[in-house]
Amino acid sequence: MSATAIGLGAAAGLAAGLLLGRSARRGGGGIAPAAGAHLLPDPALRWLLRAHGALGVWMTELLPGEDGPSNERFIDAERLSVAQITAVDRRLERARDQEQSGAERLEGGTLVFRGGGGIAVGLLLPDGPALATLPEVEDDLARLLEGVRRRPQVVAMAQAQADEGSVETVGSVGLRLAYQLERVTGAEVVVAACEPAGVRIVGASGRADRRLLDSYATPDSVLGGIARGGEDRIVADANFMGGSMADRRQRSQRVLLLPLRNAHDTVGAVALWLPDEREPTGVALGEILEAMRNAAPRIARAIEVQGFRQAARVDPLTGLANRRALDDVMRRHGASDGALIYADLDRFKSLNDTLGHPAGDAALVHFARLIREQVRSADVGARVGGEEFAVWLPGATLELGVRIAERLRVKLGTTAWDWQGRVWQLGASFGVAACPETSRRVENLAAQADAALYVAKNSGRNRVEAAGKAPNA
């Protein structure tokens, strides 16, 4: 069994073990108490549906780095209309985003729901005897929500345990530390690491808001200052990350910030939402500091290894992926569809000859920044040559690829750029290919996009050309 499967089973077991125990106590139907965790989480949702005589069970969560929410639902399709299902979907989206819990009468039944940390779960109960078990429904939903919350931590720990000889990642150490400190203090905990790109949230405990993962503190924020060694400890308000994070839960609760130190270097920080506004003391404080002392050198090593790995895959001038990294992404994900954009800055040699090579480097960095701003979070921008760039758009059509290339072209041409006070009009030519429209094989797209780029260059520059379908491509 894979580490991921182990982790998912363990996380589901956390919720389902309690649910199955409840089944034994009240004699409900569903799977037997001896059922293994490997059967979950889907059977846990189906079990809830049957055990409570519900019309449907829903789960929705926001996942870090994903474009949209992940949704699961099991419903009695013969008893619910499309309009009723849509009404529950929308109500749970609000419960998830606004972290609401309760019971609400809807057309067709009563929706019992719980939300928190970017997750919401709900059961739609029919009118009648089922409503008498409302407290038990609320208890089961609370346990399910807690299990889903803890799933990322359990997965990370399972993956780390599966290969103890491997080097830990920054994320796995951060998640372990956050989980450990929550167990000691009962507080919500996030862990930040001081990386070359900035101070990033790398760990969030089960009770914390998982949507914070991979977000960055602003350079002038309280968290940014303490993670870089500015203070020993600070009690701050909930917006300790600065303008990059509005308080998602709209709370006034105070947060204790402590630096993560490895010898004389500060490698990050820990933030603990203080239960009852009281700072930890005595044994609890000792356990917190000891856990942080053990984690800090591991985070330092992980950051160093991460830097070595990134250096082999990142263009040092622009910070975009290099050609090797782009090829790996397109190969590793086994993509069967998507669009590839090739771009080349126009008259770049003239820019270098007139303003000098430092100006040329600055123009490349400027274009790389525009690429980051204009593409989706799942897309990959790369510098594949001197003034040549590429953007891989997984799942995109040829039409979408052309639109994004055109957007990049217009943005570059309308964004002012100068070198030491001398204005220079930048422009670029673009070629676009896509699978399956221009080729049945993703590995053919680079040659097709490059050929389309050549056509754009020889047709007047500063334009977008789409590749044609090649024979047997």
Side-chain angles (χ1 to χ4, degrees):
M1 184 179 293
S2 70
T4 300
I6 295 169
L8 291 173
L14 177 65
L18 298 171
L19 295 173
L20 298 176
R22 178 181 295 280
S23 173
R25 291 198 300 274
R26 65 177 177 232
I31 54 180
H38 65 283
L39 296 175
L40 306 168
D42 289 355
L45 302 181
R46 296 181 188 276
W47 181 88
L48 280 173
L49 186 73
R50 295 196 298 269
H52 293 293
L55 300 172
V57 55
W58 279 258
M59 184 176 75
T60 177
E61 61 178 321
L62 294 175
L63 301 175
E66 299 293 332
D67 290 335
S70 170
N71 300 308
E72 291 183 66
R73 65 185 177 200
F74 295 100
I75 60 175
D76 188 338
E78 295 181 356
R79 299 168 68 188
L80 289 175
S81 68
V82 173
Q84 291 170 326
I85 296 168
T86 301
V88 175
D89 287 344
R90 291 175 177 171
R91 184 62 188 93
L92 281 182
E93 287 173 3
R94 293 202 307 274
R96 180 197 67 212
D97 297 338
Q98 301 174 17
E99 305 204 336
Q100 299 171 337
S101 298
E104 188 171 310
R105 184 76 174 83
L106 300 178
E107 181 183 354
T110 298
L111 178 65
V112 187
F113 56 92
R114 294 187 71 88
I119 308 166
V121 293
L123 274 172
L124 184 63
L125 302 176
D127 296 330
L131 293 179
T133 65
L134 197 59
E136 293 181 342
V137 173
E138 293 174 337
D139 191 27
D140 280 348
L141 288 178
R143 293 166 188 266
L144 178 62
L145 180 64
E146 184 71 7
V148 177
R149 276 178 174 173
R150 295 182 182 275
R151 183 162 54 191
Q153 284 81 8
V154 177
V155 170
M157 288 188 286
Q159 288 172 334
Q161 292 167 353
D163 186 5
E164 295 181 356
S166 65
V167 178
E168 295 175 296
T169 66
V170 180
S172 68
V173 180
L175 286 169
R176 282 170 174 261
L177 178 59
Y179 195 86
Q180 182 179 1
L181 295 185
E182 181 185 272
R183 189 170 63 248
V184 171
T185 64
E188 299 173 31
V189 182
V190 296
V191 178
C194 194
E195 299 175 329
V199 176
R200 179 173 67 96
I201 299 296
V202 297
S205 69
R207 293 189 177 93
D209 189 344
R210 279 169 34 203
R211 292 171 292 180
L212 298 178
L213 283 171
D214 293 325
S215 58
Y216 285 85
T218 59
D220 58 349
S221 66
V222 178
L223 179 63
I226 199 166
R228 290 189 293 270
E231 299 282 348
D232 284 334
R233 58 190 288 153
I234 296 176
V235 177
D237 61 30
N239 196 26
F240 59 90
M241 289 181 67
S244 64
M245 179 203 76
D247 183 5
R248 297 179 186 272
R249 300 188 181 183
Q250 299 299 312
R251 300 170 304 176
S252 59
Q253 190 174 2
R254 307 286 279 172
V255 181
L256 174 64
L257 302 175
L258 299 170
L260 272 167
R261 290 204 171 99
N262 176 41
H264 302 295
D265 298 324
T266 304
V267 297
V270 167
L272 303 95
W273 278 258
L274 297 174
D276 303 322
E277 303 287 324
R278 292 180 300 194
E279 294 188 38
T281 59
V283 175
L285 179 59
E287 289 189 41
I288 291 170
L289 297 178
E290 181 63 24
M292 292 172 62
R293 276 193 293 270
N294 289 334
R298 291 157 50 207
I299 286 179
R301 284 196 299 271
I303 291 174
E304 184 179 21
V305 171
Q306 179 178 278
F308 290 144
R309 289 173 176 167
Q310 289 179 344
R313 301 174 57 82
V314 173
D315 173 58
L317 176 63
T318 64
L320 296 177
N322 58 22
R323 182 183 291 276
R324 172 186 171 187
L326 178 68
D327 291 344
D328 286 349
V329 167
M330 294 177 67
R331 237 186 353 255
R332 185 175 69 247
H333 289 213
S336 59
D337 61 341
L340 182 65
I341 300 171
Y342 264 32
D344 189 277
L345 286 178
D346 293 332
R347 299 183 172 90
F348 188 70
K349 183 177 184 303
S350 176
L351 187 156
N352 272 333
D353 292 343
T354 305
L355 301 181
H357 289 282
D361 288 347
L364 296 174
V365 171
H366 173 73
F367 188 37
R369 178 177 61 81
L370 295 182
I371 289 175
R372 288 193 192 90
E373 292 174 352
Q374 297 300 312
V375 300
R376 307 168 302 177
S377 60
D379 301 333
V380 180
R383 183 185 176 205
V384 295
E387 65 270 24
E388 298 173 5
F389 294 80
V391 183
W392 167 238
L393 310 166
T397 63
L398 180 64
E399 179 185 5
L400 178 59
V402 169
R403 287 208 311 266
I404 292 177
E406 181 64 21
R407 190 169 71 196
L408 280 168
R409 186 191 70 80
V410 171
K411 188 68 174 179
L412 179 63
T414 57
T415 302
W417 182 82
D418 70 88
W419 176 250
Q420 297 179 348
R422 182 167 178 179
V423 176
W424 189 278
Q425 182 65 51
L426 294 176
S429 301
F430 297 80
V432 186
C435 183
E437 291 98 322
T438 67
S439 175
R440 293 191 297 268
R441 299 165 62 96
V442 169
E443 52 265 35
N444 293 338
L445 295 183
Q448 290 187 331
D450 191 51
L453 172 61
Y454 180 81
V455 173
K457 282 285 189 183
N458 284 276
S459 300
R461 298 187 178 90
N462 193 31
R463 57 185 293 143
V464 176
E465 286 288 341
K469 181 172 177 61
N472 303 318

